[in-house]
Amino acid sequence: MTGAGGGTGGAPAVRPDATAASSSGFGAFVARARAAGTLVVQPRMGMADPLRMRDGLRATRDAHAVTVGTVTLDSYTRTGDLDAARRALAEGVGLNGYPIATHPVDTTRAVLRGVADARFPVQVRHGSAMPEHIVRALLAVGLDATEGGPVSYCLPYSRTPLREAVAAWQRSCELLASTREYGAEPHLETFGGCLMGQLCPPSLLIAVSVLEALFFRQHGLTSVSLSYAQQADPRQDEEALTVLARLAGELLPDVDHHVVLYAYMGVFPRSPGGARLLLEDAARLAVRAGAARLIVKTTAEAHRIPTVGENVRALETAAAAAADERSRPAPTAAEPAPHEADSGIEAEARALIGAVLELDADVGRALVRAFAAGYLDVPYCLHPDNAGRARTSLAPDGRLLWSSVGSMPIAGLADGGPRPPILGSAGLISALSHVQRTYDSRAADPAAVTRSADPAAVPRSASGAAACPGAASGAVPGPPRTPVPPPTPPTPRRELGLTT
């Protein structure tokens, strides 16, 4: 098949396995949840041991929330060092994720069997600039949802030349797209809205997210999601998410798409209360701004890799906060929604996207040329193909501002007046820990802690029963409740039913 503006370039079709989740319908599942008024929540989770990985997926599926599963891969697989992954498994050395390209195909199919299906789609997350071997491995076991991008998984995470990453991602997109011949609807999420995790102003995050989604479409994908990472000011984030959704609607009208929000990716609060408050704010932000999916973080983020139980509690906490936010009355005409403000984010994002697309009809070549010219420039990114002239600053209220835009075509488009000074080392360290300090301070406020943990604050269903019992306290939840009437008989999981 061919996509808008490009073809598969002769990439061989890959027949998906029919025994696991051959047509996971990841995008359709999220669309159905969104139509039902429910936020989909998703963990970061990956364990090398197949039994532990299966248990983690089952726990995610059975959480008191509408969830999708995650298989996060290990670093050896991410970098393509499969010999090292094999040695680690043979010698019993711990890995920091699931080695999908090393475990036998039948082993991974057994992990997914009876767990991954249209009611519980699973996404593979990896971080690879050169992901072809990963795409082949995930398709072989019956999965067809993954994430990343030629820019977002190259510049922050590798020294791979951008031109090579673009070529590898083109081939990978075409491999994924080839499964549509067999009835699958593969899904690809751009990581472009999460560049460097923090201190990257929203307009650049939006631009890269949209440009990577356009790249995916050009190479045959018709189901995509666009990411954005929670930053330090909710008003700025709400405006940014609104702009991202608007631009996606304009530029991807022929593609099934949704917006996914990532809970804050920088220095996380050290206190459990602060971490919980930050996660709850992320869930509330997702609801207010119309994001369809939320990638959660746990109360253990500042200290260690979270357990499966901590991930489940994070999913349930986020689901409860989202339900509570959705139950609040909408702003009146006299009280406009915060995201109706215009601080110039949209003008900057449009200028960046337009400048890149004018460079070449092929989005991949345009991205390479854009970075070479400095039209795209990621602050604090040390990749050789990044110009490295852009710098940012953090206002006292948490808003991210440009201190220097380098050669990017956005000078004078936002934040009138002089630009803030470029941060020195002390200012940079302070900015990086701003969110951690803010939320740990909030957690020390008894009123904030009480409101977060008070069972009376848990949203309730029409019958008066708690919608997500145990979300804040960590108690074992009671029988799951279905948030919307499913088109199939109820199952023991709070789920959305089969997508038709």
Side-chain angles (χ1 to χ4, degrees):
M1 66 163 289
T2 58
T8 61
V14 176
R15 183 185 299 274
D17 171 54
T19 62
S22 60
S23 184
S24 67
F26 192 95
F29 179 90
V30 176
R32 179 177 171 81
R34 184 177 186 181
T38 306
L39 179 68
V40 175
V41 289
Q42 179 176 0
R44 296 172 170 89
M45 183 183 294
M47 290 81 80
D49 179 76
L51 292 178
R52 291 185 61 214
M53 189 70 254
R54 179 175 172 83
D55 287 346
L57 289 172
R58 291 177 63 183
T60 299
R61 180 197 64 185
D62 296 338
H64 247 290
V66 175
T67 59
V68 290
T70 302
V71 175
T72 300
L73 306 189
D74 64 288
S75 296
Y76 289 137
T77 302
R78 175 176 68 83
T79 58
D81 192 351
L82 301 186
D83 287 338
R86 281 190 287 270
R87 287 196 302 271
L89 287 180
E91 297 169 6
V93 176
L95 294 173
N96 62 348
Y98 186 83
I100 196 169
T102 303
H103 279 311
V105 168
D106 287 345
T107 296
T108 304
R109 288 178 181 171
V111 169
L112 300 170
R113 190 173 297 120
V115 180
D117 58 22
R119 295 184 178 91
F120 182 65
V122 172
Q123 182 190 49
V124 173
R125 306 188 67 86
H126 54 86
S128 178
M130 307 287 284
E132 289 171 86
H133 63 293
I134 293 170
V135 171
R136 291 185 183 279
L138 69 89
L139 290 176
V141 302
L143 296 176
D144 54 26
T146 188
E147 46 77 59
V151 172
S152 58
Y153 269 1
C154 175
L155 267 65
Y157 299 124
S158 80
R159 307 292 283 181
T160 303
L162 181 59
R163 189 180 303 275
E164 294 180 15
V166 166
W169 273 93
Q170 175 177 335
R171 294 189 296 267
S172 298
C173 287
E174 292 164 355
L175 282 171
L176 278 169
S178 71
T179 65
R180 299 183 67 213
E181 179 181 345
Y182 304 102
E185 187 57 77
H187 183 89
L188 189 52
E189 170 195 323
T190 163
F191 198 68
C194 305
L195 287 170
M196 304 300 290
Q198 56 189 324
L199 297 187
C200 192
S203 58
L204 183 59
L205 299 179
I206 293 167
V208 176
S209 198
V210 170
L211 288 164
E212 287 193 332
L214 290 171
F215 176 89
F216 297 163
R217 183 185 68 176
Q218 186 171 54
H219 297 294
L221 276 299
T222 58
S223 179
V224 304
S225 47
L226 299 93
S227 63
Y228 179 82
Q230 178 189 20
Q231 301 296 323
D233 179 62
R235 294 164 299 179
Q236 188 177 52
D237 285 342
E238 210 164 329
E239 180 183 351
L241 285 162
T242 302
V243 170
L244 176 58
R246 182 181 298 131
L247 293 178
E250 289 180 16
L251 297 174
L252 298 162
D254 54 346
V255 174
D256 168 60
H257 66 270
H258 68 267
V259 171
V260 52
L261 175 66
Y262 282 66
Y264 187 67
M265 297 177 68
V267 180
F268 223 67
R270 298 188 62 79
S271 66
R276 185 173 61 246
L277 287 170
L278 181 54
L279 174 60
E280 289 174 340
D281 278 359
R284 295 178 186 281
L285 170 65
V287 170
R288 291 196 307 272
R293 181 161 52 99
L294 173 68
I295 309 294
V296 307
K297 277 198 167 186
T298 74
T299 57
E301 296 300 326
H303 308 286
R304 54 176 168 75
I305 296 175
T307 65
V308 170
E310 287 164 338
N311 270 297
V312 169
R313 285 193 289 275
L315 294 168
E316 293 174 345
T317 296
D324 180 63
E325 186 67 26
R326 203 175 294 278
S327 70
R328 292 171 181 257
T332 64
E335 299 174 339
H339 63 265
E340 292 179 1
D342 182 0
S343 68
I345 292 173
E346 182 168 356
E348 290 187 352
R350 286 184 182 275
L352 291 168
I353 295 167
V356 174
L357 295 180
E358 286 177 358
L359 292 173
D360 200 293
D362 180 276
V363 180
R365 288 198 299 266
L367 286 168
V368 173
R369 293 178 180 179
F371 276 97
Y375 287 5
L376 296 177
D377 190 352
V378 182
Y380 310 109
C381 174
L382 301 179
H383 192 282
D385 288 333
N386 190 58
R389 294 192 294 270
R391 289 291 183 270
T392 61
S393 185
L394 194 69
D397 62 0
R399 289 181 304 128
L400 279 164
L401 306 173
W402 291 108
S403 297
S404 170
V405 298
S407 299
M408 291 188 292
I410 57 175
L413 290 181
D415 298 315
R419 295 194 180 277
I422 293 175
L423 294 174
S425 57
L428 180 60
I429 291 172
S430 177
L432 291 171
S433 61
H434 172 85
V435 168
Q436 176 254 313
R437 296 194 314 272
T438 299
Y439 278 86
D440 280 339
S441 295
R442 279 183 57 187
D445 176 2
V449 175
T450 300
R451 189 189 180 286
S452 177
D454 183 1
V458 175
R460 296 186 173 271
S461 66
S463 65
C468 293
S473 66
V476 177
R481 297 182 182 276
T482 305
V484 294
T488 54
T491 72
R493 175 181 178 257
R494 186 177 183 232
E495 46 100 324
L496 298 167
L498 286 167
T499 301
T500 57

